[in-house]
Amino acid sequence: ADLTRVLRGLYGPRGDLEETRSQQARTLAERTERFLQFRDLHPELAHRFIDVTYAGLVADPVAAVRRIYEQLDTHLPEAVAERMQRFAVNRSRYRGRRASSEPGGLNLKSSAEAGVFDRYCSRFGLSSQ
C-alpha cells in the first residue's frame, strides 16, 4: 500500500491511505486465493514450485539459493556462492522511517481477506500475526 501511494503521488494525488490499504489488501487476497487454488487444482505441477520464506532468505541467503539450485537438480558453483555471501554481508539496509509504521494500519482480522491470508499462512507454516 505504501509503494502504491508513492507511485500514485508521482502522477497525481496519492489518495486516501485507508482506501489504498483496503484496495491493496483485497487485490493481494484475490491473487493469493487464485494461486492457492491453481496449486490445489494442479498437484502434478508441484515440482515446478519452489517455496522460499523471506525470513529464510534474509537469515541465510546462500542456503536458500543453494536449496533452490538443488530442487532444480543443478549445482550452485562455489565461486557464485562466495560472491553471493560477500554481497549479502555487505549489502546496505534501509533504516529510514517506513510509512507502514504509521498508526492505523489495516486490521485484517476483521476483514474478509483475513481468511485467505490465514489459509496462506497455515499452508506455508507462517505466523498470521
Side-chain angles (χ1 to χ4, degrees):
D2 298 334
L3 177 59
T4 297
R5 286 191 77 229
V6 168
L7 293 175
R8 284 181 182 166
L10 294 174
Y11 305 104
R14 286 183 172 190
D16 179 69
L17 177 60
E18 274 309 306
E19 178 54 37
T20 301
R21 286 177 173 165
S22 295
Q23 185 272 328
Q24 291 296 303
R26 281 190 307 275
T27 299
L28 183 58
E30 290 166 5
R31 291 179 181 164
T32 299
E33 186 64 33
R34 284 176 52 195
F35 109 78
L36 289 173
Q37 287 175 355
F38 180 86
R39 287 184 69 167
D40 289 343
L41 291 171
H42 298 282
E44 74 280 7
L45 300 176
H47 67 284
R48 298 184 77 180
F49 292 96
I50 302 172
D51 300 310
V52 178
T53 65
Y54 180 74
L57 182 63
V58 170
D60 192 345
V62 176
V65 172
R66 205 178 291 282
R67 189 173 64 77
I68 292 168
Y69 270 69
E70 288 170 5
Q71 196 162 336
L72 293 171
D73 201 27
T74 190
H75 174 73
L76 176 64
E78 201 52 43
V80 173
E82 289 171 8
R83 284 195 314 256
M84 287 174 50
Q85 184 63 43
R86 280 194 306 275
F87 176 77
V89 168
N90 295 316
R91 74 180 180 268
S92 65
R93 298 188 187 251
Y94 176 77
R95 288 175 172 59
R97 184 186 67 78
R98 302 253 190 217
S100 60
S101 65
E102 294 174 5
L106 186 63
N107 181 1
L108 287 177
K109 290 300 177 192
S110 63
S111 73
E113 291 80 24
V116 173
F117 296 125
D118 285 343
R119 284 191 298 281
Y120 173 88
C121 290
S122 175
R123 179 177 185 139
F124 295 103
L126 305 170
S127 169
S128 60
Q129 302 281 321

